[in-house]
Amino acid sequence: MATRDTGTEQLIKDTAKRIFFSEGKLHATTQDIADAAGVNRTLLNYYFRSRDILFEQVVLEARAEMSAIMDSIFTAELEFKDKIQQMINIFMEQAMQFPYREMYVVMEFNRTEKIVPEEKKNKIRQFLKEINAEMEKGKIKKMDPRQFLMNLFALMAYPLITNCLNKSLYNINDAEYLKLMKERKQLIFEMIYQ
Amino acid sequence: MATRDTGTEQLIKDTAKRIFFSEGKLHATTQDIADAAGVNRTLLNYYFRSRDILFEQVVLEARAEMSAIMDSIFTAELEFKDKIQQMINIFMEQAMQFPYREMYVVMEFNRTEKIVPEEKKNKIRQFLKEINAEMEKGKIKKMDPRQFLMNLFALMAYPLITNCLNKSLYNINDAEYLKLMKERKQLIFEMIYQ
DNA sequence: TTTGTGTTTAACAAAAATGTTAAACATAAT
DNA sequence: ATTATGTTTAACATTTTTGTTAAACACAAA
């Protein structure tokens, strides 16, 4: 008999991702995750052997998902302008679903000092060149292309991380926040691509 | 005899702040902090009774420090343009020293759902009006003033949080990163205040 | 010097979180 | 229906982290 696949393994991973990346509960324990998934805590050990392995796998998959999205846009056969527009659309939709995913990955990166594969760096270098070309053409404001990328990601990611605080500070509800975030797509494009 | 003040209490708090806000070690234990401070772990209990109380106090002080800076700028007797410039200068200097402080406070806010005092909200409302006025004058691009503030803070805070990752992705060292961050001050101003 | 009090330490205790095991359970194949 | 094997559970064990206590220490005042 191969495997019965009750879906439990996937359920556990999905629940962990929800708790970490959507709800932002950085200090969740294995018990927290088991409870949220509605399964016995022992099952985390059965499927993943240890807490560390589960968490590592979750981060690994998160990185892979994010990389896949970035790569598909970086290397797409599109005008630069359209790439940016698509990037904003896809990234913001993802960020609305998993506001803390990037932060979690960044923190894990700080903690473990993982190495970035040369292949990925090359793709980025290539995109930095594209940015530079667009600046030469006078389409976007001239600056260090790395600053350009930092600006773009900052504008996209940050407001979602600070979701809760912003809602309190500005007295806005979920519906209005959603509206603001959708408006941001266009707004970011205009700021970046003047 | 009142108190001998060996400076230990302050040392512990400062060390905790360094570990959390500068080094970004979100999961630091009391032992980690004691070791980093070079004191016996029991002293954390002697001075603060419990881990939770220490951590809460550290966050409380962080919020107070950040609030004080914001308030002083919000209510300063300055032209709007100069306020923004000063905001960028001070915030960026702070963020370079404590890149993860804001994030930590935001995460704690998510966790505890603290209430924002009405007085603080009023100061923000006041500043939002100032932003609006500046937009009416045609000095800055028209948009929801809340978006304006989100943009500003995003551009300032985010690249410092992602410090480590950026250095890897773009192959830059500490010195160059510092230079990039200093350049950002002017760059952010130009993006915001076109 | 002695005494009193605040500070520091080490040993111990308790609590929280994680890991292991064996038995119960469920289901596909025989 | 029985068997074999993957899945789930509960009880237990271990490890990690936090909290408590009493004694040692240090230093100013008497």
Side-chain angles (χ1 to χ4, degrees):
Chain A
M1 213 181 307
T3 171
R4 229 168 266 157
D5 189 13
T6 53
T8 306
E9 182 170 358
Q10 194 58 46
L11 171 66
I12 290 170
K13 276 198 290 195
D14 288 345
T15 306
K17 286 176 182 173
R18 198 186 75 224
I19 288 185
F20 288 139
F21 306 152
S22 298
E23 300 175 11
K25 291 174 183 164
L26 273 289
H27 295 83
T29 66
T30 52
Q31 188 69 65
D32 293 334
I33 293 168
D35 288 350
V39 303
N40 191 294
R41 184 179 56 81
T42 314
L43 287 180
L44 306 214
N45 289 299
Y46 175 70
Y47 284 107
F48 302 97
R49 292 241 306 290
S50 78
R51 180 202 109 113
D52 284 355
I53 294 175
L54 166 60
F55 286 14
E56 207 176 313
Q57 196 164 324
V58 162
V59 176
L60 204 73
E61 289 185 17
R63 283 183 67 163
E65 289 160 25
M66 289 161 59
S67 276
I69 290 173
M70 286 302 121
D71 286 357
S72 77
I73 296 170
F74 280 168
T75 62
E77 286 290 340
L78 285 174
E79 297 253 324
F80 182 80
K81 188 175 178 174
D82 295 327
K83 277 192 188 179
I84 296 296
Q85 219 144 23
Q86 206 179 340
M87 170 96 79
I88 294 173
N89 269 311
I90 296 180
F91 189 100
M92 287 290 285
E93 285 302 320
Q94 287 276 316
M96 285 164 76
Q97 207 182 339
F98 301 111
Y100 306 101
R101 185 172 63 182
E102 226 194 335
M103 195 47 41
Y104 195 96
V105 169
V106 165
M107 289 304 189
E108 277 304 295
F109 188 87
N110 287 350
R111 208 171 58 78
T112 57
E113 282 288 354
K114 277 273 178 5
I115 220 75
V116 177
E118 204 56 37
E119 177 218 357
K120 170 165 295 301
K121 285 189 188 175
N122 280 333
K123 282 183 185 139
I124 293 172
R125 266 193 282 269
Q126 188 54 43
F127 196 66
L128 287 172
K129 274 187 197 163
E130 271 190 69
I131 295 170
N132 220 6
E134 202 73 0
M135 287 175 184
E136 291 300 330
K137 281 192 230 160
K139 299 289 186 70
I140 50 180
K141 182 175 159 60
K142 279 192 185 176
M143 67 181 74
D144 187 321
R146 295 171 298 189
Q147 299 275 22
F148 178 89
L149 273 189
M150 285 192 228
N151 291 343
L152 179 56
F153 285 109
L155 291 169
M156 293 192 294
Y158 195 77
L160 285 152
I161 298 170
T162 54
N163 177 326
C164 229
L165 182 61
N166 286 335
K167 283 196 291 199
S168 283
L169 290 179
Y170 304 139
N171 258 343
I172 53 189
N173 57 33
D174 283 329
E176 200 174 356
Y177 203 79
L178 196 69
K179 192 163 142 257
L180 277 175
M181 289 306 110
K182 286 192 184 290
E183 282 170 15
R184 274 191 81 74
K185 291 183 185 175
Q186 181 60 25
L187 182 59
I188 291 172
F189 180 77
E190 287 167 10
M191 283 196 68
I192 288 287
Y193 214 97
Q194 54 187 340
Chain B
M1 212 180 305
T3 171
R4 228 170 265 158
D5 190 13
T6 53
T8 306
E9 183 169 359
Q10 194 59 45
L11 171 65
I12 291 170
K13 274 199 291 193
D14 289 344
T15 306
K17 286 175 183 174
R18 198 187 75 224
I19 288 185
F20 288 139
F21 305 152
S22 297
E23 301 175 11
K25 291 174 183 164
L26 273 289
H27 295 83
T29 64
T30 53
Q31 188 68 64
D32 293 333
I33 293 168
D35 289 349
V39 304
N40 190 295
R41 182 178 58 81
T42 316
L43 288 180
L44 306 213
N45 288 300
Y46 176 70
Y47 284 108
F48 302 96
R49 291 241 306 290
S50 77
R51 179 201 110 111
D52 283 355
I53 294 174
L54 166 60
F55 286 14
E56 207 176 313
Q57 196 163 325
V58 162
V59 175
L60 206 72
E61 289 185 17
R63 282 182 66 161
E65 289 160 26
M66 289 162 59
S67 275
I69 290 173
M70 286 302 120
D71 286 357
S72 77
I73 295 169
F74 280 168
T75 63
E77 285 290 340
L78 284 174
E79 297 254 325
F80 182 81
K81 188 176 178 175
D82 295 327
K83 276 191 190 181
I84 297 295
Q85 218 144 24
Q86 205 178 340
M87 171 96 80
I88 295 173
N89 269 312
I90 296 180
F91 189 100
M92 286 291 285
E93 285 302 320
Q94 287 276 318
M96 285 164 75
Q97 206 182 339
F98 301 111
Y100 306 101
R101 185 172 63 181
E102 226 195 335
M103 196 46 43
Y104 195 95
V105 169
V106 165
M107 288 306 189
E108 277 305 297
F109 188 88
N110 287 351
R111 210 171 57 79
T112 58
E113 282 289 356
K114 278 272 177 5
I115 220 77
V116 177
E118 204 56 36
E119 176 218 359
K120 170 163 294 300
K121 285 189 189 176
N122 280 332
K123 282 183 185 140
I124 293 172
R125 265 193 283 268
Q126 189 54 43
F127 196 66
L128 287 173
K129 273 186 198 164
E130 272 191 68
I131 294 170
N132 221 5
E134 203 73 0
M135 286 176 185
E136 291 300 329
K137 281 191 230 158
K139 299 288 186 70
I140 51 180
K141 182 176 159 58
K142 280 193 185 176
M143 66 181 75
D144 187 320
R146 295 170 299 189
Q147 300 275 21
F148 178 89
L149 273 188
M150 285 192 229
N151 291 344
L152 178 56
F153 285 108
L155 290 169
M156 294 192 294
Y158 195 77
L160 285 151
I161 298 169
T162 54
N163 177 327
C164 230
L165 181 62
N166 286 336
K167 284 197 290 199
S168 283
L169 290 179
Y170 304 139
N171 258 343
I172 53 189
N173 57 32
D174 284 329
E176 200 174 357
Y177 203 79
L178 197 69
K179 192 164 142 259
L180 277 175
M181 289 306 111
K182 287 194 184 289
E183 282 171 13
R184 274 191 81 72
K185 290 182 184 175
Q186 180 59 26
L187 182 58
I188 291 172
F189 181 77
E190 287 167 10
M191 283 196 67
I192 289 287
Y193 214 101
Q194 54 186 340

